Amino acid sequence: MKKKVWLGALLSLFVAVFLIACGSKSTNTASSSTPASSSKEEAVSGASEKVYTDPSELKDGYDVVIIGSGGAGMAAALAAHDAGASVAILEKMPVIGGNTSKSSGGMNASETKFQKEQGIDDSNDLFYEETLKGGKGANNPDLLRYMVDHSSEAIDWLDSMGITLNNVTFSGGFSKARIHRPADGSAVGGYLVNGLYNNLMERKVPIFVNATVTEIIEKDGAAAGVKVTIDKKEKSIAAKSVVVTSGGFGANMATVTKYKPELKSYVTTNHEGATGDGIEMAQKLGADVVDMEQIQIHPTVYQEKAFLVSEAIRGEGAILVNAQGNRFYNEMETRDKVSAAINGLPEQYAYVVFDQQLREHSKSIDTYEQKGMVIKADSVEELAKALNVSEENLKKTIEAWNTSVEAKNDTAFGRTTGMDRNISKAPYYAIKVAPGIHHTMGGLKINTNTEVLNKEGQAIPGLYAAGEVTGGIHGKNRIGGNAVADIIVFGRQAGEQSAQFVKK
Ligand code: ADP
């Protein structure tokens, strides 16, 4: 396949720049990367915009067609290609990456080489148990077990492709440092999307953007291809297997409020393509769904831009204070509980507070600053003034927190993780946050082979799904860092399984 710089690439860059300039919540940066990089070290760096396959190159059929180019879709495409299948990715937006691009934390994994290198004594069983506890016991045990047991291998798989997640920290609800991030502590999303993209380019896997799949074609009860609108034309593409990796429905307020009417006034952190198309299309082939009402709100969202402040910032040592300048909850509790604590405040917002030490450790704060989210001050008193909170309270809060960090004992709220550094080095920082819609935990019912199941629990032949479009893995509350584990582990599995199905 000859690679062409399609006009869409330029258009997508323009759209992204325009959206950033407008401060839109649907910002989806056409992030920089070097296509077809041949060196592993270079796989996630580079400076030019992405290039996509010209629509004229879309064939009438492939072994495997993949709907959506987030982390799950790209992982599936790589695995299917490496298993010998001919593959195409169809993406409805002008840029790839979906919600994955916006993922700010990292990827949870246990018993990894990076944990071992850093002396972190973790186990798959503990990862399983803590995730199950966080999900209130409602997680599908088989799917969760599969994700946990294949997490370390997935970290190695990414590393072998130059995508190295070796900076390990804490996520809310976990007792061990388990969330794996890029070396500089930057947001995982852009790094992952660039790395996967470059590996796809190396393998010459075609990626079509502005390509909206409208239907999964059925033949004799099996998935047999898709209908796609590309270049304003509808085309039927035959496929021996179809992989649905079209993401969740967190940007589709009609569906969100259908399942959870109380979320009517919430902002969403999701990209605008997160409309749940794949769920509806698969349902037409008889697919079953699970946990559709389990919609996660994330506690720390900067409301004006609907932009998420990563949990890893708290994991690195930030605290939450209320409008009086006081701490009010264990910041490292699970997302549902921290969100409820903020919603329980009379003002229903809080501040994420941290210092220069943390600032130097977490590159993702650069992005928050660029977006104008961060309030900065030379002293705690100045910060209190800037936030319009009591100087006395904020000073006492930080002093008490520093004492807790030193004693490794948070007598006030029982926090036990993210206590490796105190808050003592100027400048001091704060970001105003409140909860926002973040992740749809329900979706298509799958088994550990990522086969989509019908209402009788039988696999629909040729139909596979992975990532946020599926349900059951996260139960009633997803732990931060488990979405990336989900998309990589099950995306990869969907690629391998769909490629094997082709050979049957
Ligand atoms: P995941 O985290 O599960 O990989 P993402 O949200 O990152 O999910 O990616 C899903 C991708 O699927 C998004 O880029 C989205 O635009 C794309 N998508 C959603 N619906 C369609 C559709 N009907 N046709 C093609 N692509 C789609």
Side-chain angles (χ1 to χ4, degrees):
M1 185 198 74
K2 211 172 97 213
K3 240 187 309 110
K4 291 178 186 172
V5 179
W6 184 39
L7 196 62
L10 283 175
L11 180 68
S12 61
L13 187 68
F14 171 76
V15 168
V17 170
F18 176 75
L19 289 173
I20 290 166
C22 294
S24 162
K25 69 184 175 194
S26 59
T27 301
N28 199 341
T29 317
S31 50
S32 55
S33 65
T34 306
S37 161
S38 57
S39 127
K40 276 181 186 157
E41 289 69 39
E42 283 172 19
V44 288
S45 63
S48 62
E49 81 267 28
K50 293 183 173 66
V51 293
Y52 301 117
T53 313
D54 192 283
S56 65
E57 294 183 24
L58 185 60
K59 294 183 189 159
D60 294 335
Y62 297 87
D63 289 338
V64 179
V65 163
I66 292 177
I67 310 172
S69 69
M74 288 198 281
L78 285 167
H81 171 274
D82 289 355
S86 69
V87 187
I89 299 179
L90 302 173
E91 165 57 54
K92 76 172 174 180
M93 302 300 285
V95 289
I96 60 165
N99 274 348
T100 304
S101 285
K102 302 186 98 189
S103 173
S104 63
M107 170 171 162
N108 289 330
S110 48
E111 301 187 17
T112 68
K113 63 178 176 191
F114 298 127
Q115 284 180 313
K116 282 174 197 151
E117 271 167 26
Q118 290 162 46
I120 301 161
D121 175 29
D122 196 7
S123 73
N124 290 353
D125 287 348
L126 192 62
F127 181 13
Y128 179 91
E129 280 156 27
E130 291 185 344
T131 298
L132 194 62
K133 185 169 171 242
K136 301 185 173 71
N139 315 56
N140 176 311
D142 296 336
L143 294 178
L144 179 56
R145 194 74 241 182
Y146 186 90
M147 183 180 88
V148 162
D149 289 346
H150 293 81
S151 64
S152 171
E153 204 181 292
I155 289 279
D156 292 342
W157 183 59
L158 291 176
D159 192 33
S160 75
M161 296 190 286
I163 304 166
T164 303
L165 300 175
N166 59 354
N167 176 327
V168 192
T169 189
F170 286 94
S171 219
F174 280 169
S175 67
K176 300 281 180 185
R178 192 175 287 145
I179 187 163
H180 292 62
R181 305 181 298 163
D184 61 0
S186 57
V188 72
Y191 177 81
L192 185 61
V193 168
N194 283 345
L196 293 170
Y197 167 81
N198 286 344
N199 277 279
L200 288 164
M201 290 295 100
E202 277 180 17
R203 290 162 174 80
K204 302 193 182 342
V205 173
I207 305 175
F208 299 93
V209 294
N210 295 312
T212 305
V213 176
T214 54
E215 191 183 319
I216 300 168
I217 299 167
E218 179 179 357
K219 199 172 167 217
D220 304 328
V226 297
K227 282 190 180 159
V228 59
T229 305
I230 182 166
D231 236 2
K232 299 196 180 88
K233 287 181 214 111
E234 184 171 277
K235 287 189 178 182
S236 289
I237 311 293
K240 292 175 189 149
S241 45
V242 174
V243 180
V244 189
T245 47
S246 51
F249 58 89
N252 183 339
M253 282 313 278
T255 314
V256 165
T257 51
K258 176 179 158 195
Y259 291 103
K260 248 190 161 174
E262 65 270 33
L263 296 183
K264 195 167 165 251
S265 60
Y266 277 65
V267 299
T268 179
T269 64
N270 285 211
H271 86 120
E272 69 183 37
T275 46
D277 307 7
I279 298 175
E280 279 181 30
M281 289 190 282
Q283 278 179 312
K284 291 195 179 130
L285 270 75
D288 199 6
V289 291
V290 60
D291 293 344
M292 289 294 281
E293 68 296 344
Q294 297 301 336
I295 298 168
Q296 177 164 69
I297 55 171
H298 190 290
T300 56
V301 178
Y302 182 76
Q303 300 288 296
E304 284 72 12
K305 298 212 163 130
F307 202 84
L308 191 131
V309 178
S310 171
E311 200 163 302
I313 304 298
R314 281 170 280 145
E316 292 291 352
I319 57 171
L320 288 175
V321 303
N322 62 16
Q324 286 70 50
N326 298 322
R327 282 181 73 216
F328 56 93
Y329 201 66
N330 172 359
E331 295 86 351
M332 295 306 291
E333 257 295 358
T334 48
R335 291 175 171 179
D336 54 337
K337 291 183 184 162
V338 180
S339 294
I342 296 175
N343 281 337
L345 297 170
E347 56 280 0
Q348 299 194 321
Y349 65 80
Y351 294 103
V352 181
V353 173
F354 52 93
D355 73 348
Q356 183 60 21
Q357 296 177 83
L358 192 147
R359 170 81 189 77
E360 283 161 13
H361 210 78
S362 284
K363 204 164 184 304
S364 49
I365 298 167
D366 290 355
T367 311
Y368 310 151
E369 283 201 319
Q370 281 154 19
K371 289 184 176 290
M373 294 160 55
V374 184
I375 299 163
K376 180 177 174 183
D378 289 333
S379 65
V380 173
E381 291 79 1
E382 291 291 315
L383 187 67
K385 266 192 212 129
L387 303 182
N388 200 20
V389 306
S390 152
E391 279 180 49
E392 198 191 331
N393 285 357
L394 190 61
K395 252 185 108 179
K396 277 194 192 148
T397 298
I398 291 178
E399 274 164 22
W401 172 246
N402 289 346
T403 307
S404 304
V405 167
E406 205 175 329
K408 289 269 176 290
N409 183 14
D410 174 27
T411 46
F413 298 104
R415 174 166 164 179
T416 54
T417 58
M419 297 178 77
D420 289 340
R421 59 177 69 83
N422 63 16
I423 301 178
S424 61
K425 186 176 172 191
Y428 295 89
Y429 303 87
I431 306 175
K432 188 176 175 183
V433 292
I437 295 164
H438 183 50
H439 185 96
T440 48
M441 295 176 285
L444 298 173
K445 217 178 208 178
I446 56 165
N447 59 19
T448 55
N449 287 334
T450 67
E451 292 167 302
V452 177
L453 304 177
N454 66 17
K455 292 205 167 71
E456 285 73 48
Q458 294 153 343
I460 299 169
L463 190 60
Y464 296 82
E468 197 176 344
V469 73
T470 68
I473 293 147
H474 307 292
K476 292 188 176 174
N477 175 62
R478 180 173 68 78
I479 299 279
N482 273 355
V484 179
D486 176 9
I487 62 178
I488 298 303
V489 170
F490 285 107
R492 184 182 182 202
Q493 168 75 328
E496 282 169 5
Q497 293 295 328
S498 60
Q500 267 180 36
F501 181 82
V502 166
K503 293 177 193 155
K504 279 180 189 167

